[in-house]
Every structure is written in structure tokens, then in C-alpha cells.
Amino acid sequence: MIKVLYNSLADNHHGEENAAKIKKLSGYEDAEFVDLIKADLREILSRSDDKIVLAGGDGTIHFFINKFGGKVPEHPLYYFPTGNGNDFKNDIKEHDSDEVVLLNDYLKNLPTVSVNNCKKIYFLNGIGYGIDGYCCEEGDRLKKQTTKPINYAAIAIKGILGKFKQRNAVVTVDGVEHKYSHVWLTATMNGRFYGGGMNIAPAQDRLNTERKQSVVVFHCKSKLKTLMVFPSIFKGKHVEHKKMVEVLTGHEITVAFDRPTPLQVDGETYLNVSHYSVEAKQTENV
């Protein structure tokens, strides 16, 4: 039997509807659908005769990871992308939209983040802190007002032009402190992409054996220069602007801003964040 796991709350409660797209694949017509919100994942993943497929976007994988306690199932777990951004799918480039991919190896050794000294959260793609967090906050607010697609690029432009104020930041990587002024964003990445296609950390390898994370600091006093360079993030060319963008790598990372700022973890928004700490963490099979 094929069981398809989905998050009923995903995409404004369209998670089950989106997951049903898998029925278009040959052999999946009679699949059984199970809501992650209510499911006993350990019981489901203990059934060796079932094929288990996780259907959804980055947020659904993020939800699964954390509900499962950051552990990696021994049972094969497949992934079928149905989300809007699908930064994970873009990063691994191992399948087209009509295929499933084996997920287990990508869940090993995931990093964790602690936001404002709260509980640790496992993340799949990365953390956006600064104008990217601001964009998620504004996007969440607009989603409550309209069913139309959210134009995050337009939100970012308005933010750069005045609604978002640059921060001063202290970034500590493996014990070494770095200070920056006029910071637009400080992202810590396990993969290369976030924000629905932004190649923010083009050199990052999510399967690197050292488990190093990339910290991308975008800082510039000039709004005009920022507007000129910002679109190059989508192709990963922003890192060529060395005076504006610095990339650090390490295992233990703390980022602190001089005033509270929104933050996003795999697309999930957190408000009034003063600092976050990342740690590369070994996971266990279950």
C-alpha cells in the first residue's frame, strides 16, 4: 500500500488538495492519504510493507522533521513536491515535478536553530534574518487579507526604499566575532535556496561531510546600490560584490541585531527576534 502524508494546514489549508496531485502519477491512484497533524508517525513508518510519500512544500518537510524530533526514519521516505516555492526541490535538482525522490539522506545531520534562547528547531533549507524576515511578516499579514498570490519582490523593494531599517549586527562563527553596520540581511543556510528561488548561498552543499553552514551577510549603506545588487540574489551573483556581501562558514553560529527583527526558518515567521544561534547537529536513525 502507498500512504501519502500531507499537512492539512499547509498553503492556507489546501494541503490535502495539493497532495492529491500525486494521483496523476502511475500507480498512485489508490493511495491512502494521512494528515501529518493527526498521524502517529512512528507507527506509520514502522510498517515495512507500505511505501510512504511525504507530499507538500518546504514547510511540510520542516513540519515533519520537527514532529519526528529531528531523527531520520530507517524506513524509506519519499518526497513529492506540491508547494509554491520548493527551494528544497530546486536545490537537489534530482527530479522533475512529476517524480518522487528518496528523502532519507537529506534528513541526516540537520542543523538546529535556537531563536531568542527558546527551544531548538531543526531546519531543512535556512534562516532569513532581516529584510527577508520582514518580507515574510508582511506576506503573512497580506495572506489574511487576500487570496491572491503574494508579491514578495515588491515587498522587498518597498522595504529597501524605506519601510525596513538596516541593522547593526554581530555575527559569531566558531568563536570568532564579526561586526557589521547597515545590514540588510544575515542568512544562515543549510542549502543554497530560500524565499522561493533566491540562490542566497550558491557555494553551500547541504550534504557536505563537515556539516558546515554558510552565513551570508548583506550590508550596504546606500539604498540605490542595494536595489541594483539585490536582484542578483536569484542567480547567486550577489556574492561577487565583496564590499557588500560576505560569506562565512562554520558549525556554531550566533547572529545578534541591535534591535528586534522578524526572522524566518524554512518560511515559518518569528517576530521580535533579537538573536539566533545555529548548531550543526548529528541525528539518529529510528
Side-chain angles (χ1 to χ4, degrees):
M1 176 181 290
I2 297 175
K3 288 187 180 295
V4 178
L5 307 179
Y6 68 93
N7 182 349
S8 59
L9 302 180
D11 193 20
N12 285 333
H13 301 271
H14 288 91
E16 183 174 10
E17 177 185 340
N18 292 339
K21 296 174 183 177
I22 200 171
K23 290 184 177 181
K24 296 179 180 179
L25 301 186
S26 177
Y28 288 81
E29 298 85 356
D30 298 322
E32 177 184 344
F33 290 80
V34 180
D35 187 352
L36 280 171
I37 302 295
K38 305 172 183 178
D40 183 340
L41 295 181
R42 293 182 182 276
E43 192 275 333
I44 290 174
L45 288 165
S46 67
R47 299 180 183 178
S48 59
D49 55 338
D50 288 339
K51 181 175 183 178
I52 310 298
V53 182
L54 186 63
D58 300 317
T60 297
I61 305 178
H62 177 87
F63 182 88
F64 174 89
I65 292 164
N66 285 281
K67 185 171 182 179
F68 213 57
K71 298 183 184 296
V72 183
E74 290 186 350
H75 188 89
L77 177 66
Y78 296 88
Y79 173 62
F80 177 71
T82 68
N84 296 317
N86 292 323
D87 290 308
F88 172 71
K89 183 190 75 171
N90 291 337
D91 193 23
I92 63 173
K93 294 183 181 298
E94 286 190 9
H95 58 87
D96 296 322
S97 59
D98 60 347
E99 298 176 350
V100 297
V101 62
L102 186 62
L103 193 59
N104 298 63
D105 284 347
Y106 297 105
L107 303 184
K108 294 178 180 178
N109 305 317
L110 287 177
T112 60
V113 58
S114 176
V115 178
N116 287 347
N117 292 326
C118 294
K119 69 176 183 178
K120 292 183 178 181
I121 304 163
Y122 292 89
F123 63 95
L124 177 74
N125 296 321
I127 300 157
Y129 190 33
I131 195 168
D132 35 7
Y134 159 81
C135 288
C136 286
E137 179 186 23
E138 284 295 295
D140 291 346
R141 181 180 64 81
L142 291 173
K143 285 177 184 177
K144 296 177 181 178
Q145 302 174 2
T146 180
T147 57
K148 295 180 180 180
I150 304 302
N151 188 336
Y152 287 96
I155 295 173
I157 291 171
K158 290 179 181 178
I160 293 171
L161 288 175
K163 289 196 171 183
F164 179 82
K165 304 301 181 183
Q166 299 131 299
R167 277 28 175 184
N168 295 322
V170 178
V171 181
T172 306
V173 180
D174 292 341
V176 180
E177 191 176 275
H178 308 261
K179 295 183 178 180
Y180 303 90
S181 59
H182 307 293
V183 174
W184 291 103
L185 65 85
T186 304
T188 299
M189 301 299 297
N190 181 53
R192 293 175 295 162
F193 295 89
Y194 77 173
M198 293 184 176
N199 192 358
I200 187 70
Q204 176 66 15
D205 176 8
R206 66 172 61 243
L207 295 180
N208 78 85
T209 56
E210 294 184 66
R211 300 310 306 136
K212 285 187 175 182
Q213 309 298 296
S214 292
V215 189
V216 183
V217 184
F218 193 125
H219 58 104
C220 181
K221 184 176 182 180
S222 169
K223 293 180 181 179
L224 179 57
K225 288 183 179 179
T226 301
L227 281 172
M228 292 174 63
V229 173
F230 199 83
S232 66
I233 288 177
F234 285 93
K235 293 188 176 181
K237 298 295 185 180
H238 60 295
V239 296
E240 297 174 3
H241 299 268
K242 304 296 183 182
K243 293 183 178 181
M244 299 174 62
V245 180
E246 184 169 6
V247 182
L248 310 167
T249 60
H251 300 94
E252 296 185 0
I253 299 148
T254 298
V255 178
F257 279 2
D258 60 348
R259 58 186 182 276
T261 307
L263 173 150
Q264 63 87 12
V265 182
D266 287 345
E268 296 293 322
T269 310
Y270 297 82
L271 304 179
N272 300 315
V273 176
S274 61
H275 65 279
Y276 71 85
S277 297
V278 167
E279 178 185 10
K281 186 176 179 64
Q282 295 292 319
T283 56
E284 300 174 3
N285 288 344
V286 295

